[in-house]
Each structure stands twice: as C-alpha cells, then as structure tokens.
Amino acid sequence: MNFKTMLCAVIVSTMAMLDQANAADAVGVRHLAAPSAERGGDLDVTVWYPARPGGEAVTLGDSALFKGTAAMREAPIADGKFPLILLSHGAGLAGTPEALGWIAVPLASRGFVVAAPTHPGNGGKNRSAAETMKLWLRPADLSATLNAMPENAFFGGHLLERRTGVLGLSMGGSTALAIAGARVDAKRLAAYCDTDLLNASLCGWVRQSGVDLHAMDMRLAGRDNSDRRIRFAMAIDPAPVDVLAPDSFAGIGIPVAIVNLGQPGKIPATADASGIARTIPNASYAAIADGSHYSMFGECKPGARALILSEEIGDPVCGDGGGRPRGEIHAQLVEMAVEAFDRALKAGL
C-alpha cells in the first residue's frame, strides 16, 4: 500500500468513526416480543431504528471487558419507511444483541431498522452449551422476528415491503447462510467436538457442560431453514461454517456477501468461508487481513487484558490481527455493511 492509498484509508476510517460517534443521537432502541412456537414462548428482540429527538439516553453492551454503545431508548421513530436488517449474534461473550451495538447503531443511523432476536441459551447468565449447539433453531428465530416486525404497532408502518436482509457475525454468520438456504450436516455437527482441532474454546465448554453431540437429537438438524422473504445475506467470519452441508450452497438463490477476518491462509478452518463463497452462485468475498475473529467483539476497556488473565478467560478477546485499533476495524466493517445493504435493499428507491 503506497502512502497516498494509506492516507486515504486512514481518512475514511477516521470519518467513519466520527460518524459512528455521532450516530447515537439519531438512533432509537426498544425491545419487542416475537412469538416462537418452536421455542415455546416469546423471543426478546432488540430493535435499533432511525429516530427523531427524544427518548432516554442508554448504553447497551457495556461490561467489565467491553465498551457499550449509546442509543436513545423509546425515541420516536423517524418519518418514512426503511429496509429491515435481521441481525444474528454469536455465542459466548458475544452472545447477546447488545454486544453488536457497534454495528447496529451506525446501520440504523444510515436508514435501516435493525432487529436482533436473542437466541436462547447462546449467551448471558442463562448460557447453555446444549442450546447453543442446536444451530438449526437459530434461523427460525430470525423468521419469527420477521413475522413479528410488520405486526408491531410501532414499527409496522415504517418497514419497506420486500426489502429485508440478514446480517450475521460468527455463529450468527452461519445462521445468515442457513436462512439463505445452507443446511446443517448432522454428521458433521455431531463430530464437531470429537477433537479440539476445530474450536478448542467452544468444544472445551461443550465437554465441561457434559454435552455429547453424538447423543443430541438431530432429527431436524438438516432441515431447510431458508426464508424466501430474505433478499440479501451478509456473513462476517461465519462459524462453525464447516458443519454446513457442502452440497447446499449451490442452491442459495439470493446474493450473499462473505467477509473473513484474518490473513488468507491463516484464518481458522471453522470460520474460513473462502471456498464456500466460490460455490454460492451470487456471492462476493473479502478478507480483512489485520482483523481477527475477536475483532467482532466490542472495543476493550483499559485494564481488560489484565482482567482476562485474572479471570482465566483463555481466549485473547482483546487481540486483533495487526496494528490498527479495533475501532478502525469496526469502522471498516460498518462501511462494508452499509455499502452492501444499500446496494441490495435500497436500489431503486
């Protein structure tokens, strides 16, 4: 990269970070309940949206390790109609919608309604290894959210018809591919934690929880979870992408954008989607070489690294792949997402 190109990249990243810093004033956030027959109750859905002045200033996703993201709770929604993005979070420390506020808030500030269901058992105090590994239930959570949004009195009149996309990060990335048409391979999923070679952190937790994936009821695991209402899917570092059936990707009929974090050739196999992108008929692929899987977490607070050591968390959740601050990587991912969803959901408006 020459000096001029590098300077332009720095300017773009800096401007994007400033835009994100100011975005909270124009973004509202509220919760709604999405009925889910499959889950046997209501899903808690966090929704960010373009807002008019008002509401209560709140910070979501703040923790001992990570900085939260500001928005205006219960602010009036802005005039007009907007495309809808269904957002699927990961598992573990990133296992809540609020953990993805860093990308949801700027998307809402750029004219999208972003609805993120909490996938039961995937994070927080009620985290469950058994529920987390039922990957085939996650796309249904998104479909249930999509059912609920137009029926909601607050949002129903502000959603553009047939302008819905899905964005997923980490395990949410595999969920995004699944709702686009990829299927779980039950045999691959059952064998996923036979060793620690694919995902030592996740599989260590699975074993410590006493979960035997071979004994799990997977009769529904390989079902078709595609939702024809989805027009576009974006998956960032989808994992575990290697439990999806290879022969299912060719049948995906919508445009898909896939982004990996890390240097090509060094991305963990369980998240490396470069080969998959070549088998999806209308897919694009990009990699951010100085990112890592942990770049999808919020920005770390001062002292977070010491806390990681003292709490024996085990994963370098504050580590990225190069010298750039995590905020700059976030800004780049936000701009990539905005450009992709603008093209897919706003074209012709």
Side-chain angles (χ1 to χ4, degrees):
M1 180 182 293
N2 61 38
F3 176 76
K4 184 176 181 180
T5 302
M6 181 174 66
L7 180 61
C8 289
V10 170
I11 292 173
V12 169
S13 294
T14 302
M15 292 301 294
M17 291 172 70
L18 291 173
D19 288 343
Q20 291 178 53
N22 296 325
D25 293 336
V27 172
V29 65
R30 60 165 47 205
H31 290 261
L32 62 84
S36 170
E38 189 155 36
R39 295 288 192 177
D42 290 342
L43 296 168
D44 178 33
V45 182
T46 306
V47 188
W48 293 265
Y49 54 92
R52 291 184 281 116
E56 174 193 4
V58 293
T59 301
L60 301 180
D62 186 76
S63 71
L65 292 176
F66 305 115
K67 299 177 183 177
T69 309
M72 303 302 294
R73 177 180 290 154
E74 303 293 334
I77 192 168
D79 295 333
K81 294 188 175 184
F82 311 98
L84 173 64
I85 299 175
L86 302 172
L87 177 62
S88 181
H89 62 73
L93 289 175
T96 64
E98 291 81 1
L100 297 182
W102 62 267
I103 196 166
V105 167
L107 281 169
S109 75
R110 304 283 277 271
F112 297 94
V113 173
V114 182
T118 297
H119 297 296
N122 279 233
K125 295 180 180 179
N126 297 320
R127 194 163 63 123
S128 161
E131 291 303 308
T132 296
M133 298 308 292
K134 295 176 183 177
L135 304 181
W136 60 93
L137 297 181
R138 291 172 128 259
D141 296 339
L142 297 181
S143 290
T145 300
L146 182 50
N147 292 339
M149 288 296 293
E151 302 299 322
N152 182 268
F154 185 83
F155 292 109
H158 292 278
L159 300 176
L160 286 167
E161 293 185 14
R162 296 183 293 277
R163 300 277 179 167
T164 299
V166 59
L167 170 64
L169 293 83
S170 191
M171 194 171 281
S174 292
T175 304
L177 293 175
I179 202 170
R183 291 177 287 101
V184 172
D185 184 316
K187 291 183 178 179
R188 287 172 177 247
L189 179 56
Y192 187 71
C193 289
D194 285 355
T195 72
D196 278 342
L197 295 178
L198 295 175
N199 195 327
S201 178
L202 177 62
C203 290
W205 174 48
V206 168
R207 282 193 298 275
Q208 289 171 10
S209 301
V211 174
D212 179 1
L213 295 181
H214 289 281
M216 184 177 289
D217 183 355
M218 294 194 188
R219 285 174 292 179
L220 298 178
R223 70 186 181 187
D224 179 6
N225 282 300
S226 61
D227 192 320
R228 295 184 180 277
R229 296 171 292 177
I230 305 297
R231 285 189 52 169
F232 172 73
M234 185 173 189
I236 299 176
D237 241 28
V241 76
D242 44 352
V243 302
L244 299 178
D247 63 354
S248 65
F249 296 111
I252 294 178
I254 62 173
V256 174
I258 298 175
V259 180
N260 269 141
L261 299 172
Q263 296 181 18
K266 296 184 179 180
I267 298 166
T270 198
D272 189 348
S274 56
I276 288 169
R278 290 191 290 270
T279 67
I280 297 174
N282 188 7
S284 65
Y285 178 82
I288 298 178
D290 60 350
S292 78
H293 196 71
Y294 304 107
S295 299
M296 293 181 291
F297 288 91
E299 293 185 63
C300 287
K301 290 181 175 180
R305 294 178 187 274
L307 183 60
I308 290 168
L309 291 175
S310 65
E311 295 291 329
E312 298 182 348
I313 291 175
D315 294 323
V317 296
C318 290
D320 299 294
R324 274 198 303 169
R326 182 167 293 178
E328 290 188 14
I329 297 173
H330 282 180
Q332 183 178 354
L333 285 167
V334 165
E335 290 307 303
M336 293 172 76
V338 168
E339 180 181 351
F341 283 101
D342 272 350
R343 183 172 57 251
L345 303 183
K346 292 185 178 181
L349 294 180

